[in-house]
Short mmCIF file of all heavy atoms in Angstrom, two decimals:
data_model
loop_
_atom_site.label_atom_id
_atom_site.label_comp_id
_atom_site.label_asym_id
_atom_site.label_seq_id
_atom_site.Cartn_x
_atom_site.Cartn_y
_atom_site.Cartn_z
N VAL A 1 -0.15 -4.77 -7.26
CA VAL A 1 0.68 -5.97 -7.17
C VAL A 1 0.80 -6.65 -8.53
O VAL A 1 1.89 -7.05 -8.95
CB VAL A 1 0.10 -6.95 -6.12
CG1 VAL A 1 0.70 -8.34 -6.25
CG2 VAL A 1 0.31 -6.41 -4.72
N LEU A 2 -0.33 -6.76 -9.23
CA LEU A 2 -0.30 -7.43 -10.53
C LEU A 2 0.47 -6.61 -11.56
O LEU A 2 1.19 -7.16 -12.39
CB LEU A 2 -1.72 -7.72 -11.01
CG LEU A 2 -2.46 -8.78 -10.18
CD1 LEU A 2 -3.90 -8.91 -10.66
CD2 LEU A 2 -1.75 -10.12 -10.21
N GLN A 3 0.32 -5.28 -11.50
CA GLN A 3 1.08 -4.44 -12.41
C GLN A 3 2.58 -4.61 -12.15
O GLN A 3 3.37 -4.75 -13.08
CB GLN A 3 0.69 -2.97 -12.26
CG GLN A 3 1.45 -2.07 -13.22
CD GLN A 3 1.06 -0.61 -13.07
OE1 GLN A 3 0.23 -0.24 -12.26
NE2 GLN A 3 1.67 0.24 -13.87
N ASP A 4 2.95 -4.65 -10.88
CA ASP A 4 4.35 -4.86 -10.54
C ASP A 4 4.81 -6.24 -10.98
O ASP A 4 5.91 -6.39 -11.50
CB ASP A 4 4.58 -4.69 -9.04
CG ASP A 4 6.03 -4.93 -8.68
OD1 ASP A 4 6.89 -4.22 -9.23
OD2 ASP A 4 6.29 -5.84 -7.89
N HIS A 5 3.96 -7.22 -10.78
CA HIS A 5 4.29 -8.59 -11.21
C HIS A 5 4.54 -8.63 -12.71
O HIS A 5 5.45 -9.31 -13.18
CB HIS A 5 3.15 -9.54 -10.83
CG HIS A 5 3.37 -10.95 -11.23
ND1 HIS A 5 2.89 -11.46 -12.41
CD2 HIS A 5 4.03 -11.96 -10.61
CE1 HIS A 5 3.25 -12.72 -12.51
NE2 HIS A 5 3.93 -13.06 -11.43
N ASP A 6 3.75 -7.89 -13.45
CA ASP A 6 3.86 -7.90 -14.92
C ASP A 6 5.07 -7.11 -15.41
O ASP A 6 5.65 -7.44 -16.45
CB ASP A 6 2.59 -7.32 -15.55
CG ASP A 6 1.38 -8.19 -15.30
OD1 ASP A 6 1.54 -9.38 -14.96
OD2 ASP A 6 0.25 -7.68 -15.44
N THR A 7 5.43 -6.05 -14.69
CA THR A 7 6.49 -5.15 -15.18
C THR A 7 7.78 -5.21 -14.38
O THR A 7 8.79 -4.65 -14.82
CB THR A 7 5.99 -3.69 -15.18
OG1 THR A 7 5.66 -3.33 -13.83
CG2 THR A 7 4.79 -3.51 -16.09
N ASN A 8 7.75 -5.84 -13.22
CA ASN A 8 8.92 -5.91 -12.34
C ASN A 8 9.53 -4.53 -12.07
O ASN A 8 10.74 -4.34 -12.17
CB ASN A 8 9.99 -6.83 -12.91
CG ASN A 8 9.57 -8.27 -12.85
OD1 ASN A 8 9.05 -8.72 -11.83
ND2 ASN A 8 9.78 -9.00 -13.93
N THR A 9 8.69 -3.55 -11.72
CA THR A 9 9.17 -2.18 -11.52
C THR A 9 9.64 -1.92 -10.09
O THR A 9 10.41 -0.99 -9.88
CB THR A 9 8.08 -1.16 -11.87
OG1 THR A 9 6.89 -1.49 -11.15
CG2 THR A 9 7.80 -1.15 -13.35
N ARG A 10 9.20 -2.70 -9.13
CA ARG A 10 9.61 -2.47 -7.75
C ARG A 10 10.92 -3.20 -7.46
O ARG A 10 11.17 -4.30 -7.95
CB ARG A 10 8.55 -2.99 -6.77
CG ARG A 10 7.31 -2.16 -6.76
CD ARG A 10 6.40 -2.60 -5.66
NE ARG A 10 5.09 -1.99 -5.82
CZ ARG A 10 4.06 -2.27 -5.07
NH1 ARG A 10 4.15 -3.15 -4.11
NH2 ARG A 10 2.91 -1.67 -5.27
N THR A 11 11.69 -2.56 -6.60
CA THR A 11 12.93 -3.21 -6.15
C THR A 11 12.59 -4.22 -5.07
O THR A 11 11.49 -4.19 -4.48
CB THR A 11 13.91 -2.17 -5.56
OG1 THR A 11 13.33 -1.63 -4.36
CG2 THR A 11 14.22 -1.06 -6.55
N ASN A 12 13.52 -5.09 -4.79
CA ASN A 12 13.33 -6.06 -3.73
C ASN A 12 13.07 -5.35 -2.41
O ASN A 12 12.21 -5.77 -1.62
CB ASN A 12 14.53 -7.00 -3.62
CG ASN A 12 14.26 -8.18 -2.74
OD1 ASN A 12 13.27 -8.88 -2.92
ND2 ASN A 12 15.12 -8.39 -1.76
N GLN A 13 13.78 -4.25 -2.15
CA GLN A 13 13.59 -3.50 -0.91
C GLN A 13 12.17 -2.94 -0.83
O GLN A 13 11.55 -2.96 0.23
CB GLN A 13 14.63 -2.38 -0.79
CG GLN A 13 14.59 -1.66 0.54
CD GLN A 13 14.80 -2.59 1.73
OE1 GLN A 13 15.66 -3.47 1.69
NE2 GLN A 13 14.03 -2.40 2.78
N GLN A 14 11.64 -2.44 -1.93
CA GLN A 14 10.26 -1.93 -1.94
C GLN A 14 9.26 -3.05 -1.65
O GLN A 14 8.28 -2.83 -0.94
CB GLN A 14 9.95 -1.29 -3.29
CG GLN A 14 10.66 0.03 -3.50
CD GLN A 14 10.49 0.54 -4.92
OE1 GLN A 14 10.60 -0.21 -5.89
NE2 GLN A 14 10.25 1.84 -5.04
N ILE A 15 9.51 -4.21 -2.17
CA ILE A 15 8.62 -5.34 -1.92
C ILE A 15 8.69 -5.76 -0.45
O ILE A 15 7.67 -6.03 0.18
CB ILE A 15 8.95 -6.52 -2.86
CG1 ILE A 15 8.64 -6.12 -4.31
CG2 ILE A 15 8.18 -7.78 -2.47
CD1 ILE A 15 9.17 -7.08 -5.35
N ILE A 16 9.90 -5.76 0.10
CA ILE A 16 10.07 -6.08 1.52
C ILE A 16 9.30 -5.08 2.38
O ILE A 16 8.61 -5.46 3.34
CB ILE A 16 11.57 -6.11 1.90
CG1 ILE A 16 12.24 -7.35 1.28
CG2 ILE A 16 11.77 -6.08 3.41
CD1 ILE A 16 13.76 -7.35 1.37
N GLU A 17 9.38 -3.80 2.05
CA GLU A 17 8.66 -2.77 2.80
C GLU A 17 7.15 -2.97 2.69
O GLU A 17 6.43 -2.83 3.69
CB GLU A 17 9.06 -1.38 2.30
CG GLU A 17 10.47 -0.99 2.69
CD GLU A 17 10.95 0.29 2.02
OE1 GLU A 17 10.13 1.04 1.45
OE2 GLU A 17 12.18 0.53 2.05
N TRP A 18 6.66 -3.31 1.50
CA TRP A 18 5.23 -3.56 1.31
C TRP A 18 4.79 -4.74 2.17
O TRP A 18 3.75 -4.68 2.83
CB TRP A 18 4.92 -3.80 -0.17
CG TRP A 18 3.47 -4.04 -0.41
CD1 TRP A 18 2.51 -3.09 -0.56
CD2 TRP A 18 2.80 -5.30 -0.49
NE1 TRP A 18 1.28 -3.69 -0.75
CE2 TRP A 18 1.44 -5.05 -0.70
CE3 TRP A 18 3.22 -6.62 -0.40
CZ2 TRP A 18 0.49 -6.07 -0.83
CZ3 TRP A 18 2.28 -7.64 -0.53
CH2 TRP A 18 0.94 -7.36 -0.73
N ILE A 19 5.55 -5.81 2.16
CA ILE A 19 5.21 -7.00 2.95
C ILE A 19 5.19 -6.64 4.43
O ILE A 19 4.27 -7.04 5.16
CB ILE A 19 6.19 -8.16 2.66
CG1 ILE A 19 6.00 -8.66 1.22
CG2 ILE A 19 5.99 -9.31 3.65
CD1 ILE A 19 7.10 -9.61 0.75
N SER A 20 6.18 -5.88 4.88
CA SER A 20 6.24 -5.46 6.28
C SER A 20 5.02 -4.64 6.67
O SER A 20 4.43 -4.83 7.75
CB SER A 20 7.51 -4.66 6.55
OG SER A 20 8.65 -5.46 6.35
N GLN A 21 4.62 -3.72 5.79
CA GLN A 21 3.42 -2.91 6.05
C GLN A 21 2.17 -3.79 6.11
O GLN A 21 1.29 -3.57 6.94
CB GLN A 21 3.26 -1.84 4.99
CG GLN A 21 4.28 -0.73 5.10
CD GLN A 21 4.21 0.26 3.94
OE1 GLN A 21 3.48 0.07 2.97
NE2 GLN A 21 4.99 1.32 4.03
N LYS A 22 2.10 -4.78 5.24
CA LYS A 22 0.95 -5.68 5.21
C LYS A 22 0.88 -6.48 6.52
O LYS A 22 -0.20 -6.67 7.07
CB LYS A 22 1.05 -6.61 4.00
CG LYS A 22 -0.26 -7.19 3.58
CD LYS A 22 -1.17 -6.12 3.05
CE LYS A 22 -2.51 -6.68 2.71
NZ LYS A 22 -3.53 -5.65 2.61
N ILE A 23 2.03 -6.93 7.00
CA ILE A 23 2.08 -7.66 8.27
C ILE A 23 1.57 -6.77 9.41
O ILE A 23 0.76 -7.20 10.24
CB ILE A 23 3.51 -8.18 8.56
CG1 ILE A 23 3.85 -9.32 7.60
CG2 ILE A 23 3.66 -8.61 10.02
CD1 ILE A 23 5.31 -9.75 7.62
N MET A 24 2.03 -5.51 9.46
CA MET A 24 1.58 -4.59 10.51
C MET A 24 0.07 -4.34 10.41
O MET A 24 -0.62 -4.29 11.44
CB MET A 24 2.34 -3.27 10.44
CG MET A 24 3.78 -3.40 10.88
SD MET A 24 4.70 -1.83 11.06
CE MET A 24 4.48 -1.08 9.46
N GLU A 25 -0.44 -4.21 9.21
CA GLU A 25 -1.88 -4.01 9.01
C GLU A 25 -2.66 -5.20 9.55
O GLU A 25 -3.67 -5.03 10.24
CB GLU A 25 -2.15 -3.81 7.52
CG GLU A 25 -3.61 -3.69 7.16
CD GLU A 25 -3.84 -3.67 5.66
OE1 GLU A 25 -3.01 -3.08 4.93
OE2 GLU A 25 -4.84 -4.26 5.21
N ILE A 26 -2.21 -6.39 9.25
CA ILE A 26 -2.91 -7.59 9.70
C ILE A 26 -2.81 -7.73 11.22
O ILE A 26 -3.79 -8.12 11.87
CB ILE A 26 -2.36 -8.84 8.97
CG1 ILE A 26 -2.78 -8.78 7.49
CG2 ILE A 26 -2.84 -10.13 9.62
CD1 ILE A 26 -2.08 -9.77 6.59
N GLU A 27 -1.67 -7.38 11.80
CA GLU A 27 -1.52 -7.41 13.26
C GLU A 27 -2.47 -6.43 13.93
O GLU A 27 -3.07 -6.74 14.97
CB GLU A 27 -0.07 -7.14 13.66
CG GLU A 27 0.84 -8.31 13.38
CD GLU A 27 2.31 -8.03 13.61
OE1 GLU A 27 2.71 -6.84 13.73
OE2 GLU A 27 3.08 -9.01 13.65
N ARG A 28 -2.65 -5.24 13.34
CA ARG A 28 -3.61 -4.26 13.89
C ARG A 28 -5.03 -4.83 13.83
O ARG A 28 -5.79 -4.72 14.80
CB ARG A 28 -3.56 -2.94 13.12
CG ARG A 28 -2.44 -2.02 13.54
CD ARG A 28 -2.59 -0.62 12.94
NE ARG A 28 -2.69 -0.59 11.50
CZ ARG A 28 -1.65 -0.57 10.66
NH1 ARG A 28 -0.43 -0.57 11.14
NH2 ARG A 28 -1.83 -0.53 9.36
N LYS A 29 -5.37 -5.44 12.71
CA LYS A 29 -6.71 -6.03 12.58
C LYS A 29 -6.90 -7.17 13.57
O LYS A 29 -7.98 -7.33 14.15
CB LYS A 29 -6.93 -6.52 11.15
CG LYS A 29 -7.14 -5.41 10.16
CD LYS A 29 -7.35 -5.96 8.76
CE LYS A 29 -7.48 -4.84 7.75
NZ LYS A 29 -7.66 -5.35 6.39
N LYS A 30 -5.85 -7.96 13.77
CA LYS A 30 -5.92 -9.06 14.73
C LYS A 30 -6.20 -8.53 16.13
O LYS A 30 -7.04 -9.07 16.85
CB LYS A 30 -4.63 -9.87 14.71
CG LYS A 30 -4.63 -11.06 15.65
CD LYS A 30 -3.29 -11.75 15.64
CE LYS A 30 -3.23 -12.89 16.61
NZ LYS A 30 -3.33 -12.50 18.01
N ASP A 31 -5.51 -7.45 16.52
CA ASP A 31 -5.75 -6.83 17.83
C ASP A 31 -7.21 -6.37 17.95
O ASP A 31 -7.85 -6.57 18.99
CB ASP A 31 -4.81 -5.66 18.06
CG ASP A 31 -3.36 -6.09 18.27
OD1 ASP A 31 -3.12 -7.28 18.56
OD2 ASP A 31 -2.47 -5.23 18.13
N GLU A 32 -7.73 -5.78 16.89
CA GLU A 32 -9.12 -5.33 16.90
C GLU A 32 -10.07 -6.51 17.06
O GLU A 32 -11.03 -6.45 17.83
CB GLU A 32 -9.45 -4.56 15.61
CG GLU A 32 -8.78 -3.21 15.51
CD GLU A 32 -9.00 -2.54 14.16
OE1 GLU A 32 -9.92 -2.95 13.41
OE2 GLU A 32 -8.24 -1.62 13.84
N TYR A 33 -9.81 -7.60 16.33
CA TYR A 33 -10.66 -8.79 16.44
C TYR A 33 -10.55 -9.41 17.83
O TYR A 33 -11.55 -9.87 18.38
CB TYR A 33 -10.29 -9.82 15.37
CG TYR A 33 -10.81 -9.48 13.99
CD1 TYR A 33 -9.98 -9.51 12.89
CD2 TYR A 33 -12.14 -9.13 13.79
CE1 TYR A 33 -10.45 -9.19 11.63
CE2 TYR A 33 -12.62 -8.81 12.55
CZ TYR A 33 -11.77 -8.84 11.45
OH TYR A 33 -12.24 -8.52 10.21
N ASP A 34 -9.35 -9.41 18.41
CA ASP A 34 -9.19 -9.93 19.77
C ASP A 34 -10.03 -9.13 20.76
O ASP A 34 -10.67 -9.70 21.64
CB ASP A 34 -7.72 -9.92 20.19
CG ASP A 34 -6.89 -10.99 19.50
OD1 ASP A 34 -7.46 -11.94 18.92
OD2 ASP A 34 -5.64 -10.87 19.52
N GLN A 35 -10.06 -7.81 20.59
CA GLN A 35 -10.88 -6.96 21.46
C GLN A 35 -12.37 -7.25 21.27
O GLN A 35 -13.13 -7.32 22.23
CB GLN A 35 -10.59 -5.48 21.21
CG GLN A 35 -9.22 -5.05 21.69
CD GLN A 35 -8.89 -3.61 21.30
OE1 GLN A 35 -9.68 -2.92 20.66
NE2 GLN A 35 -7.71 -3.15 21.67
N MET A 36 -12.77 -7.42 20.02
CA MET A 36 -14.18 -7.74 19.75
C MET A 36 -14.56 -9.08 20.37
O MET A 36 -15.64 -9.21 20.96
CB MET A 36 -14.43 -7.78 18.24
CG MET A 36 -14.47 -6.43 17.57
SD MET A 36 -14.97 -6.60 15.85
CE MET A 36 -13.47 -6.20 15.01
N LEU A 37 -13.68 -10.07 20.23
CA LEU A 37 -13.96 -11.39 20.82
C LEU A 37 -14.06 -11.31 22.34
O LEU A 37 -14.93 -11.96 22.93
CB LEU A 37 -12.88 -12.40 20.41
CG LEU A 37 -12.98 -12.93 18.99
CD1 LEU A 37 -11.73 -13.74 18.64
CD2 LEU A 37 -14.23 -13.80 18.84
N ALA A 38 -13.20 -10.54 22.96
CA ALA A 38 -13.25 -10.38 24.41
C ALA A 38 -14.58 -9.75 24.83
O ALA A 38 -15.22 -10.20 25.80
CB ALA A 38 -12.08 -9.54 24.90
N THR A 39 -15.02 -8.73 24.12
CA THR A 39 -16.29 -8.08 24.43
C THR A 39 -17.45 -9.04 24.25
O THR A 39 -18.33 -9.14 25.11
CB THR A 39 -16.48 -6.82 23.55
OG1 THR A 39 -15.41 -5.92 23.81
CG2 THR A 39 -17.81 -6.15 23.82
#
């Protein structure tokens, strides 16, 4: 992220895809934490 910030090598679409992937990753972790809390 910092390298990209410094060089601006990623396109806006690539950044959007990265953000979308990060959101999905966090949602998966949230589901796991919800299961742990239920247990």
Side-chain angles (χ1 to χ4, degrees):
V1 165
L2 292 175
Q3 181 180 0
D4 179 58
H5 179 266
D6 294 342
T7 61
N8 289 316
T9 53
R10 289 188 192 174
T11 66
N12 191 52
Q13 187 58 42
Q14 288 172 317
I15 294 169
I16 289 170
E17 289 171 15
W18 181 84
I19 293 169
S20 296
Q21 289 174 353
K22 202 67 184 162
I23 288 170
M24 288 189 305
E25 176 187 323
I26 291 168
E27 286 173 345
R28 278 192 304 274
K29 287 180 183 179
K30 182 184 177 295
D31 290 343
E32 290 174 17
Y33 283 131
D34 287 344
Q35 290 174 0
M36 286 187 249
L37 283 171
T39 300

